[in-house]
Amino acid sequence: MPLLVQLFLLYQFSRTPLGTAASQYWALAWWIAVVVSTWSTFALTAKRFHDFGKPTYYALISLVIGAILLVILAFFKSDPGPNRYGKHTNAPAES
């Protein structure tokens, strides 16, 4: 979904004449979408590394190889039982 938002904003930017207020608006909106999606991917990857009992700085890898790492991590089971990040790291989130 974030990729679709980014592509839509980039498409709108490409349709507007350069140097206009509208093109600056679309460019700014695209950059905001990129930052938000990068942050959310980083946070999700950090939480996934916590499931493995690894520290957050391992998630810095996600800034280099991005969503590919998140997809790869989705196929591995986490460590069973509690670790230093919580009692039920592999349990569904409570609402």
Coordinates of all heavy atoms in Angstrom, one line a residue:
M1 N 0.8 -1.2 0.0 CA 0.0 0.0 0.0 C 0.9 1.3 0.0 O 0.6 2.2 -0.8 CB -0.9 -0.1 1.2 CG -1.9 1.1 1.2 SD -3.0 0.9 -0.2 CE -4.3 1.9 0.3
P2 N 1.9 1.3 0.8 CA 2.7 2.6 0.8 C 3.3 2.8 -0.6 O 3.5 3.9 -1.0 CB 3.8 2.3 1.9 CG 3.2 1.3 2.8 CD 2.3 0.5 2.0
L3 N 3.7 1.7 -1.2 CA 4.3 1.8 -2.6 C 3.3 2.4 -3.6 O 3.6 3.3 -4.4 CB 4.8 0.5 -3.1 CG 5.4 0.5 -4.5 CD1 6.6 1.4 -4.5 CD2 5.8 -0.9 -4.9
L4 N 2.0 2.0 -3.4 CA 1.0 2.6 -4.3 C 0.8 4.1 -4.1 O 0.6 4.9 -5.0 CB -0.4 1.9 -4.1 CG -0.4 0.4 -4.6 CD1 -1.7 -0.2 -4.2 CD2 -0.1 0.4 -6.1
V5 N 0.8 4.5 -2.8 CA 0.7 5.9 -2.5 C 1.9 6.7 -3.1 O 1.7 7.7 -3.7 CB 0.7 6.1 -0.9 CG1 0.8 7.6 -0.5 CG2 -0.6 5.5 -0.4
Q6 N 3.1 6.1 -2.9 CA 4.3 6.8 -3.5 C 4.2 6.9 -5.0 O 4.5 7.9 -5.6 CB 5.5 6.0 -3.1 CG 5.9 6.1 -1.6 CD 7.1 5.3 -1.3 OE1 7.9 4.9 -2.2 NE2 7.2 4.9 0.0
L7 N 3.8 5.8 -5.6 CA 3.6 5.9 -7.1 C 2.6 6.9 -7.5 O 2.7 7.6 -8.5 CB 3.3 4.5 -7.6 CG 4.4 3.5 -7.6 CD1 4.0 2.1 -8.0 CD2 5.6 3.9 -8.4
F8 N 1.4 6.9 -6.8 CA 0.4 7.9 -7.2 C 0.9 9.3 -7.0 O 0.7 10.2 -7.9 CB -0.8 7.7 -6.3 CG -1.8 8.8 -6.4 CD1 -2.6 8.9 -7.5 CD2 -1.9 9.8 -5.5 CE1 -3.6 9.9 -7.7 CE2 -2.8 10.9 -5.6 CZ -3.7 10.9 -6.7
L9 N 1.6 9.6 -5.9 CA 2.2 11.0 -5.7 C 3.2 11.3 -6.8 O 3.3 12.4 -7.3 CB 2.8 11.1 -4.3 CG 1.7 11.0 -3.2 CD1 2.5 10.9 -1.9 CD2 0.8 12.1 -3.2
L10 N 4.1 10.3 -7.1 CA 5.1 10.5 -8.2 C 4.4 10.8 -9.5 O 4.9 11.6 -10.3 CB 6.0 9.3 -8.2 CG 7.3 9.5 -9.0 CD1 8.1 10.7 -8.5 CD2 8.1 8.2 -9.0
Y11 N 3.3 10.0 -9.8 CA 2.6 10.2 -11.1 C 2.0 11.6 -11.1 O 2.1 12.3 -12.2 CB 1.5 9.2 -11.2 CG 0.5 9.4 -12.3 CD1 0.9 9.2 -13.6 CD2 -0.8 9.9 -12.0 CE1 0.0 9.5 -14.6 CE2 -1.7 10.1 -13.0 CZ -1.3 9.9 -14.3 OH -2.2 10.2 -15.3
Q12 N 1.4 12.1 -10.0 CA 0.8 13.4 -10.0 C 1.9 14.5 -10.2 O 1.7 15.5 -10.9 CB 0.1 13.7 -8.7 CG -1.2 12.9 -8.5 CD -2.2 13.2 -9.6 OE1 -2.1 14.2 -10.3 NE2 -3.2 12.4 -9.7
F13 N 3.1 14.3 -9.6 CA 4.2 15.2 -9.7 C 4.6 15.3 -11.2 O 4.9 16.3 -11.7 CB 5.4 14.8 -8.9 CG 6.6 15.5 -9.1 CD1 6.8 16.8 -8.7 CD2 7.7 15.0 -9.8 CE1 7.9 17.6 -8.9 CE2 8.8 15.7 -10.0 CZ 9.0 17.0 -9.6
S14 N 4.7 14.1 -11.9 CA 5.1 14.1 -13.3 C 4.1 14.7 -14.2 O 4.5 15.2 -15.3 CB 5.4 12.6 -13.7 OG 4.2 11.9 -13.8
R15 N 2.9 14.9 -13.8 CA 1.9 15.5 -14.7 C 1.9 17.0 -14.6 O 1.3 17.7 -15.4 CB 0.5 15.0 -14.3 CG 0.3 13.5 -14.6 CD -1.1 13.0 -14.3 NE -2.1 13.8 -15.0 CZ -3.2 14.2 -14.5 NH1 -3.6 13.9 -13.3 NH2 -4.1 14.9 -15.2
T16 N 2.5 17.6 -13.5 CA 2.4 19.0 -13.3 C 3.7 19.7 -13.9 O 4.7 19.1 -13.9 CB 2.3 19.4 -11.8 OG1 3.4 18.8 -11.2 CG2 1.0 18.9 -11.2
P17 N 3.5 20.9 -14.4 CA 4.7 21.6 -15.0 C 5.7 21.9 -13.9 O 5.4 22.2 -12.7 CB 4.1 22.9 -15.5 CG 2.6 22.7 -15.6 CD 2.3 21.6 -14.6
L18 N 7.0 21.7 -14.2 CA 8.0 21.9 -13.2 C 8.1 23.4 -12.8 O 7.8 24.3 -13.6 CB 9.4 21.5 -13.8 CG 9.6 20.0 -14.0 CD1 11.0 19.7 -14.6 CD2 9.5 19.3 -12.6
G19 N 8.5 23.6 -11.6 CA 8.6 25.0 -11.1 C 7.3 25.6 -10.6 O 7.3 26.8 -10.1
T20 N 6.2 25.0 -10.7 CA 4.9 25.5 -10.2 C 4.7 25.2 -8.8 O 5.4 24.3 -8.2 CB 3.7 25.0 -11.1 OG1 3.7 23.6 -10.9 CG2 3.9 25.4 -12.6
A21 N 3.8 25.8 -8.2 CA 3.4 25.5 -6.8 C 2.9 24.1 -6.7 O 3.1 23.4 -5.7 CB 2.4 26.5 -6.2
A22 N 2.1 23.7 -7.7 CA 1.5 22.3 -7.6 C 2.6 21.3 -7.7 O 2.6 20.3 -7.0 CB 0.6 22.1 -8.8
S23 N 3.7 21.5 -8.5 CA 4.8 20.5 -8.6 C 5.5 20.4 -7.3 O 5.9 19.4 -6.8 CB 5.7 20.8 -9.7 OG 6.5 21.9 -9.5
Q24 N 5.7 21.6 -6.6 CA 6.3 21.6 -5.3 C 5.5 20.9 -4.3 O 6.0 20.1 -3.4 CB 6.6 23.0 -4.9 CG 7.7 23.7 -5.7 CD 7.9 25.1 -5.3 OE1 7.2 25.7 -4.5 NE2 8.9 25.8 -6.0
Y25 N 4.2 21.0 -4.3 CA 3.3 20.3 -3.4 C 3.4 18.8 -3.6 O 3.5 18.1 -2.6 CB 1.8 20.8 -3.7 CG 0.8 19.9 -3.0 CD1 0.5 19.9 -1.7 CD2 0.1 18.9 -3.8 CE1 -0.4 19.1 -1.1 CE2 -0.8 18.1 -3.3 CZ -1.1 18.1 -1.9 OH -2.0 17.3 -1.3
W26 N 3.3 18.3 -4.8 CA 3.4 16.9 -5.1 C 4.8 16.3 -4.7 O 4.9 15.2 -4.2 CB 3.1 16.6 -6.5 CG 1.6 16.8 -6.9 CD1 1.1 17.7 -7.7 CD2 0.5 16.1 -6.3 NE1 -0.3 17.6 -7.7 CE2 -0.7 16.6 -6.9 CE3 0.4 15.0 -5.4 CZ2 -1.9 16.1 -6.5 CZ3 -0.9 14.6 -5.1 CH2 -2.0 15.1 -5.6
A27 N 5.8 17.1 -4.9 CA 7.2 16.6 -4.5 C 7.3 16.5 -3.0 O 7.8 15.5 -2.5 CB 8.2 17.6 -5.1
L28 N 6.7 17.5 -2.3 CA 6.8 17.5 -0.9 C 5.9 16.3 -0.3 O 6.4 15.6 0.6 CB 6.3 18.8 -0.3 CG 6.2 18.8 1.3 CD1 7.6 18.7 1.9 CD2 5.5 20.1 1.7
A29 N 4.8 16.1 -0.9 CA 3.9 15.0 -0.5 C 4.6 13.7 -0.7 O 4.5 12.7 0.1 CB 2.6 15.0 -1.2
W30 N 5.3 13.5 -1.9 CA 6.0 12.3 -2.2 C 7.1 12.1 -1.1 O 7.3 10.9 -0.6 CB 6.6 12.3 -3.6 CG 7.3 11.1 -3.9 CD1 6.8 9.9 -4.3 CD2 8.8 10.9 -3.9 NE1 7.8 9.0 -4.5 CE2 9.0 9.6 -4.3 CE3 9.8 11.7 -3.6 CZ2 10.3 9.0 -4.4 CZ3 11.1 11.2 -3.7 CH2 11.3 9.9 -4.1
W31 N 7.9 13.1 -0.8 CA 9.0 12.9 0.2 C 8.4 12.5 1.6 O 9.0 11.7 2.3 CB 9.8 14.2 0.3 CG 10.9 14.2 -0.7 CD1 10.9 15.1 -1.8 CD2 12.0 13.4 -0.8 NE1 12.0 14.8 -2.6 CE2 12.7 13.8 -2.0 CE3 12.5 12.4 0.0 CZ2 13.9 13.1 -2.4 CZ3 13.7 11.8 -0.4 CH2 14.4 12.1 -1.6
I32 N 7.3 13.1 1.9 CA 6.7 12.8 3.2 C 6.3 11.3 3.2 O 6.5 10.6 4.2 CB 5.5 13.7 3.5 CG1 6.0 15.1 3.8 CG2 4.6 13.1 4.6 CD1 4.9 16.1 3.9
A33 N 5.7 10.8 2.1 CA 5.3 9.4 2.0 C 6.5 8.5 2.1 O 6.4 7.5 2.7 CB 4.5 9.2 0.7
V34 N 7.6 8.9 1.5 CA 8.8 8.1 1.5 C 9.3 8.0 2.9 O 9.7 6.9 3.4 CB 9.9 8.7 0.5 CG1 11.2 8.0 0.8 CG2 9.5 8.4 -0.9
V35 N 9.4 9.1 3.6 CA 9.9 9.1 5.0 C 9.0 8.3 5.9 O 9.5 7.5 6.7 CB 10.0 10.6 5.5 CG1 10.3 10.6 7.0 CG2 11.1 11.3 4.8
V36 N 7.7 8.4 5.8 CA 6.8 7.7 6.6 C 6.9 6.2 6.4 O 6.9 5.4 7.3 CB 5.3 8.2 6.5 CG1 4.3 7.2 7.1 CG2 5.2 9.6 7.0
S37 N 6.9 5.8 5.1 CA 7.0 4.4 4.8 C 8.3 3.8 5.2 O 8.4 2.6 5.6 CB 6.7 4.1 3.3 OG 7.7 4.7 2.5
T38 N 9.4 4.6 5.1 CA 10.7 4.1 5.5 C 10.7 3.9 7.0 O 11.2 2.9 7.5 CB 11.8 5.1 5.1 OG1 11.8 5.2 3.7 CG2 13.2 4.6 5.6
W39 N 10.2 4.8 7.8 CA 10.1 4.7 9.2 C 9.3 3.5 9.6 O 9.7 2.7 10.5 CB 9.6 6.0 9.9 CG 9.4 5.8 11.3 CD1 8.2 5.7 12.0 CD2 10.4 5.7 12.3 NE1 8.5 5.5 13.4 CE2 9.8 5.5 13.6 CE3 11.8 5.8 12.3 CZ2 10.5 5.4 14.7 CZ3 12.5 5.6 13.4 CH2 11.9 5.4 14.6
S40 N 8.1 3.3 9.0 CA 7.3 2.2 9.4 C 7.9 0.9 9.1 O 7.8 -0.1 9.9 CB 5.9 2.3 8.8 OG 6.0 2.2 7.4
T41 N 8.6 0.8 8.0 CA 9.3 -0.4 7.6 C 10.5 -0.7 8.6 O 10.6 -1.8 9.1 CB 9.9 -0.3 6.2 OG1 8.9 -0.2 5.3 CG2 10.7 -1.6 5.8
F42 N 11.2 0.3 9.0 CA 12.2 0.2 10.0 C 11.7 -0.3 11.3 O 12.2 -1.2 12.0 CB 13.0 1.5 10.2 CG 14.0 1.5 11.2 CD1 15.2 0.8 11.0 CD2 13.8 2.1 12.5 CE1 16.2 0.8 12.0 CE2 14.7 2.0 13.5 CZ 15.9 1.4 13.3
A43 N 10.6 0.3 11.8 CA 10.0 0.0 13.1 C 9.5 -1.5 13.1 O 9.7 -2.2 14.0 CB 8.8 0.9 13.4
L44 N 8.8 -1.9 12.0 CA 8.3 -3.3 11.9 C 9.5 -4.3 11.8 O 9.4 -5.3 12.5 CB 7.5 -3.4 10.6 CG 6.8 -4.7 10.4 CD1 5.8 -5.0 11.6 CD2 6.0 -4.7 9.1
T45 N 10.6 -3.9 11.1 CA 11.7 -4.8 11.1 C 12.4 -4.9 12.4 O 12.8 -6.0 12.9 CB 12.7 -4.3 10.0 OG1 12.0 -4.2 8.8 CG2 13.9 -5.2 9.9
A46 N 12.5 -3.8 13.2 CA 13.0 -3.8 14.5 C 12.2 -4.7 15.4 O 12.8 -5.5 16.2 CB 13.1 -2.4 15.1
K47 N 10.9 -4.6 15.3 CA 10.1 -5.5 16.2 C 10.2 -7.0 15.8 O 10.2 -7.9 16.6 CB 8.6 -5.1 16.0 CG 8.3 -3.8 16.8 CD 6.8 -3.5 16.7 CE 6.5 -2.2 17.5 NZ 6.6 -2.4 18.9
R48 N 10.4 -7.2 14.5 CA 10.6 -8.6 14.0 C 12.0 -9.1 14.6 O 12.1 -10.3 15.0 CB 10.6 -8.7 12.5 CG 10.5 -10.0 12.0 CD 9.2 -10.7 12.3 NE 9.3 -12.1 11.8 CZ 9.1 -13.2 12.5 NH1 8.9 -13.1 13.8 NH2 9.2 -14.4 11.9
F49 N 13.0 -8.3 14.6 CA 14.3 -8.7 15.2 C 14.2 -8.9 16.6 O 14.8 -9.8 17.2 CB 15.4 -7.7 14.9 CG 16.1 -7.9 13.6 CD1 16.0 -7.0 12.5 CD2 16.8 -9.0 13.3 CE1 16.6 -7.2 11.3 CE2 17.5 -9.3 12.1 CZ 17.4 -8.3 11.1
H50 N 13.3 -8.2 17.3 CA 13.0 -8.4 18.7 C 12.5 -9.8 19.0 O 12.7 -10.4 20.0 CB 12.1 -7.3 19.3 CG 12.7 -6.0 19.5 ND1 12.0 -4.9 19.9 CD2 14.0 -5.6 19.3 CE1 12.8 -3.9 20.0 NE2 14.0 -4.3 19.6
D51 N 11.6 -10.3 18.0 CA 11.1 -11.6 18.1 C 12.2 -12.7 18.1 O 12.0 -13.7 18.7 CB 10.1 -11.9 17.0 CG 8.8 -11.1 17.1 OD1 8.5 -10.6 18.2 OD2 8.1 -11.1 16.1
F52 N 13.3 -12.4 17.4 CA 14.4 -13.3 17.4 C 15.4 -13.0 18.6 O 16.4 -13.7 18.7 CB 15.2 -13.1 16.1 CG 14.5 -13.6 14.9 CD1 14.0 -12.7 14.0 CD2 14.3 -14.9 14.7 CE1 13.3 -13.1 12.8 CE2 13.6 -15.3 13.5 CZ 13.1 -14.4 12.6
G53 N 15.0 -12.0 19.4 CA 15.9 -11.7 20.6 C 17.1 -10.9 20.2 O 18.1 -10.8 20.9
K54 N 17.0 -10.2 19.0 CA 18.2 -9.4 18.6 C 17.9 -7.9 18.8 O 16.7 -7.5 18.9 CB 18.4 -9.6 17.1 CG 18.6 -11.0 16.6 CD 19.9 -11.5 17.2 CE 20.1 -13.0 16.7 NZ 20.9 -13.7 17.6
P55 N 18.9 -7.1 19.0 CA 18.7 -5.7 19.3 C 18.2 -4.9 18.0 O 18.3 -5.3 16.9 CB 20.0 -5.2 19.7 CG 21.0 -6.1 19.1 CD 20.3 -7.5 19.0
T56 N 17.7 -3.7 18.3 CA 17.1 -2.9 17.3 C 18.1 -2.5 16.2 O 17.8 -2.3 15.0 CB 16.5 -1.6 17.9 OG1 15.5 -2.0 18.8 CG2 15.9 -0.7 16.9
Y57 N 19.4 -2.3 16.6 CA 20.3 -1.8 15.5 C 20.5 -2.8 14.4 O 21.0 -2.4 13.3 CB 21.7 -1.4 16.2 CG 22.5 -2.5 16.7 CD1 23.3 -3.2 15.9 CD2 22.5 -2.7 18.1 CE1 24.1 -4.3 16.5 CE2 23.3 -3.7 18.6 CZ 24.1 -4.5 17.8 OH 24.8 -5.5 18.3
Y58 N 20.1 -4.0 14.6 CA 20.1 -5.0 13.4 C 19.2 -4.5 12.3 O 19.3 -4.8 11.2 CB 19.7 -6.4 13.9 CG 20.8 -7.2 14.5 CD1 21.7 -6.7 15.4 CD2 20.9 -8.5 14.1 CE1 22.7 -7.5 15.9 CE2 21.9 -9.3 14.7 CZ 22.8 -8.8 15.6 OH 23.7 -9.6 16.1
A59 N 18.1 -3.8 12.7 CA 17.1 -3.3 11.8 C 17.7 -2.2 10.9 O 17.1 -1.9 9.9 CB 15.9 -2.8 12.5
L60 N 18.8 -1.7 11.2 CA 19.5 -0.7 10.3 C 19.7 -1.3 8.9 O 19.8 -0.6 7.9 CB 20.7 -0.1 10.9 CG 20.5 0.8 12.1 CD1 21.9 1.1 12.7 CD2 19.8 2.0 11.8
I61 N 19.9 -2.6 8.9 CA 20.0 -3.3 7.6 C 18.9 -3.0 6.7 O 19.0 -2.9 5.5 CB 20.2 -4.8 7.9 CG1 21.4 -5.1 8.7 CG2 20.2 -5.6 6.6 CD1 21.5 -6.6 9.2
S62 N 17.7 -2.9 7.3 CA 16.5 -2.6 6.5 C 16.6 -1.3 5.7 O 15.9 -1.2 4.7 CB 15.2 -2.7 7.3 OG 15.1 -1.5 8.2
L63 N 17.3 -0.4 6.2 CA 17.5 0.9 5.5 C 18.3 0.7 4.3 O 18.2 1.5 3.3 CB 18.1 1.9 6.4 CG 17.3 2.3 7.6 CD1 18.0 3.3 8.5 CD2 15.9 2.9 7.2
V64 N 19.1 -0.4 4.2 CA 19.9 -0.7 3.1 C 19.2 -1.6 2.1 O 19.2 -1.3 0.9 CB 21.3 -1.3 3.5 CG1 22.1 -1.7 2.3 CG2 22.0 -0.4 4.5
I65 N 18.6 -2.6 2.5 CA 18.0 -3.6 1.6 C 16.5 -3.5 1.7 O 15.8 -4.3 1.0 CB 18.5 -5.0 1.8 CG1 18.3 -5.5 3.2 CG2 20.0 -5.1 1.4 CD1 18.6 -7.0 3.3
G66 N 15.9 -2.7 2.5 CA 14.5 -2.4 2.5 C 13.6 -3.5 2.7 O 13.8 -4.4 3.6
A67 N 12.5 -3.5 2.0 CA 11.4 -4.4 2.2 C 11.7 -5.8 1.9 O 11.0 -6.7 2.4 CB 10.2 -3.9 1.4
I68 N 12.7 -6.1 1.2 CA 13.1 -7.5 0.9 C 13.4 -8.2 2.2 O 13.0 -9.3 2.4 CB 14.4 -7.5 -0.1 CG1 14.0 -6.9 -1.4 CG2 14.9 -8.9 -0.2 CD1 15.1 -6.6 -2.3
L69 N 14.1 -7.5 3.1 CA 14.4 -8.2 4.4 C 13.2 -8.5 5.1 O 13.1 -9.5 5.8 CB 15.4 -7.2 5.2 CG 15.7 -7.7 6.6 CD1 16.6 -9.0 6.5 CD2 16.5 -6.7 7.3
L70 N 12.2 -7.6 5.1 CA 11.0 -7.8 5.8 C 10.2 -9.0 5.3 O 9.7 -9.8 6.1 CB 10.1 -6.5 5.7 CG 8.9 -6.5 6.6 CD1 9.2 -6.6 8.1 CD2 8.1 -5.2 6.4
V71 N 10.2 -9.2 4.0 CA 9.6 -10.3 3.4 C 10.3 -11.6 3.8 O 9.7 -12.6 4.2 CB 9.5 -10.2 1.9 CG1 9.0 -11.5 1.2 CG2 8.5 -9.0 1.5
I72 N 11.6 -11.6 3.8 CA 12.4 -12.8 4.1 C 12.2 -13.1 5.6 O 12.0 -14.3 5.9 CB 13.9 -12.5 3.9 CG1 14.2 -12.4 2.4 CG2 14.8 -13.6 4.5 CD1 15.6 -11.9 2.0
L73 N 12.2 -12.1 6.5 CA 12.0 -12.4 7.9 C 10.6 -12.9 8.2 O 10.4 -13.7 9.2 CB 12.2 -11.1 8.7 CG 13.6 -10.6 8.9 CD1 13.7 -9.3 9.6 CD2 14.4 -11.7 9.6
A74 N 9.6 -12.6 7.4 CA 8.2 -13.1 7.6 C 8.2 -14.6 7.5 O 7.2 -15.3 8.0 CB 7.3 -12.5 6.6
F75 N 9.1 -15.3 6.8 CA 9.1 -16.7 6.6 C 9.8 -17.5 7.7 O 9.7 -18.7 7.7 CB 9.7 -17.1 5.2 CG 8.8 -16.7 4.1 CD1 9.1 -15.5 3.4 CD2 7.7 -17.4 3.8 CE1 8.3 -15.1 2.3 CE2 6.9 -17.0 2.7 CZ 7.2 -15.9 2.0
F76 N 10.4 -16.9 8.6 CA 11.1 -17.5 9.7 C 10.3 -17.5 11.0 O 9.7 -16.5 11.3 CB 12.5 -16.9 9.9 CG 13.5 -17.2 8.8 CD1 13.7 -16.2 7.9 CD2 14.1 -18.4 8.7 CE1 14.6 -16.5 6.8 CE2 15.0 -18.6 7.7 CZ 15.2 -17.7 6.7
K77 N 10.3 -18.6 11.7 CA 9.7 -18.6 13.1 C 10.6 -17.9 14.1 O 11.8 -18.0 14.0 CB 9.4 -20.0 13.5 CG 8.3 -20.7 12.7 CD 8.0 -22.0 13.4 CE 6.8 -22.6 12.6 NZ 5.8 -23.2 13.5
S78 N 10.0 -17.2 15.0 CA 10.8 -16.5 16.0 C 11.1 -17.5 17.1 O 10.7 -18.7 17.1 CB 10.0 -15.4 16.6 OG 8.8 -15.8 17.2
D79 N 12.0 -17.1 18.0 CA 12.4 -17.9 19.1 C 11.2 -18.2 20.0 O 10.5 -17.2 20.3 CB 13.5 -17.3 19.9 CG 14.8 -17.1 19.1 OD1 15.0 -17.9 18.2 OD2 15.6 -16.2 19.5
P80 N 11.0 -19.4 20.4 CA 9.8 -19.7 21.3 C 10.1 -19.1 22.7 O 11.2 -19.1 23.2 CB 9.7 -21.2 21.3 CG 11.1 -21.7 21.0 CD 11.7 -20.6 20.1
G81 N 9.0 -18.7 23.4 CA 9.1 -18.3 24.8 C 9.6 -16.9 24.9 O 9.8 -16.1 23.9
P82 N 9.7 -16.4 26.2 CA 10.1 -15.1 26.4 C 11.5 -14.8 26.1 O 12.4 -15.7 26.1 CB 9.8 -14.9 27.9 CG 9.9 -16.3 28.5 CD 9.5 -17.2 27.4
N83 N 11.8 -13.5 25.9 CA 13.2 -13.0 25.8 C 13.2 -11.6 26.4 O 12.3 -11.2 27.1 CB 13.7 -13.0 24.3 CG 12.9 -12.0 23.4 OD1 12.3 -11.0 23.9 ND2 12.8 -12.4 22.1
R84 N 14.3 -10.9 26.3 CA 14.5 -9.7 27.0 C 13.5 -8.6 26.5 O 13.5 -7.5 27.1 CB 15.9 -9.2 27.0 CG 16.4 -8.8 25.6 CD 17.8 -8.4 25.7 NE 18.3 -8.2 24.3 CZ 19.4 -7.5 24.1 NH1 20.1 -7.0 25.0 NH2 19.8 -7.3 22.8
Y85 N 12.8 -8.8 25.4 CA 11.9 -7.8 24.8 C 10.5 -8.0 25.2 O 9.6 -7.3 24.9 CB 12.0 -7.7 23.3 CG 13.4 -7.3 22.9 CD1 14.3 -8.2 22.4 CD2 13.8 -5.9 23.0 CE1 15.6 -7.7 22.0 CE2 15.0 -5.5 22.6 CZ 15.9 -6.4 22.1 OH 17.2 -6.0 21.8
G86 N 10.2 -9.1 25.9 CA 8.8 -9.4 26.4 C 8.6 -10.9 26.7 O 9.4 -11.7 26.3
K87 N 7.4 -11.1 27.3 CA 7.1 -12.5 27.6 C 6.6 -13.3 26.4 O 6.9 -14.4 26.3 CB 5.9 -12.5 28.7 CG 6.3 -12.0 30.0 CD 5.2 -12.1 31.0 CE 5.2 -11.0 32.0 NZ 4.0 -11.0 32.8
H88 N 5.7 -12.7 25.6 CA 5.1 -13.3 24.5 C 5.4 -12.6 23.2 O 4.6 -12.0 22.6 CB 3.6 -13.4 24.7 CG 3.2 -14.0 26.0 ND1 3.3 -15.4 26.2 CD2 2.7 -13.5 27.1 CE1 2.9 -15.7 27.4 NE2 2.5 -14.5 28.0
T89 N 6.7 -12.7 22.8 CA 7.1 -11.9 21.6 C 6.5 -12.5 20.3 O 6.3 -11.7 19.4 CB 8.6 -11.9 21.4 OG1 9.1 -13.3 21.4 CG2 9.3 -11.2 22.6
N90 N 6.1 -13.7 20.3 CA 5.6 -14.3 19.0 C 4.1 -14.5 19.1 O 3.5 -15.1 18.3 CB 6.2 -15.6 18.7 CG 6.2 -16.6 19.8 OD1 5.7 -16.3 20.9 ND2 6.7 -17.8 19.6
A91 N 3.4 -13.9 20.1 CA 2.0 -14.0 20.3 C 1.3 -12.8 19.5 O 1.9 -11.8 19.3 CB 1.6 -13.9 21.8
P92 N 0.1 -13.0 19.1 CA -0.7 -11.9 18.5 C -0.7 -10.7 19.4 O -0.8 -10.8 20.6 CB -2.0 -12.5 18.2 CG -1.9 -14.0 18.3 CD -0.7 -14.2 19.2
A93 N -0.8 -9.5 18.7 CA -0.9 -8.3 19.5 C -2.2 -8.2 20.2 O -3.2 -8.6 19.6 CB -0.7 -7.1 18.5
E94 N -2.2 -7.6 21.4 CA -3.4 -7.4 22.1 C -4.0 -6.0 21.7 O -3.3 -5.1 21.5 CB -3.2 -7.4 23.6 CG -2.7 -8.8 24.1 CD -2.3 -8.8 25.6 OE1 -2.7 -7.8 26.3 OE2 -1.7 -9.7 26.0
S95 N -5.3 -6.0 21.6 CA -5.9 -4.7 21.2 C -6.6 -4.0 22.4 O -6.6 -4.4 23.5 CB -6.9 -4.9 20.1 OG -7.8 -5.9 20.4

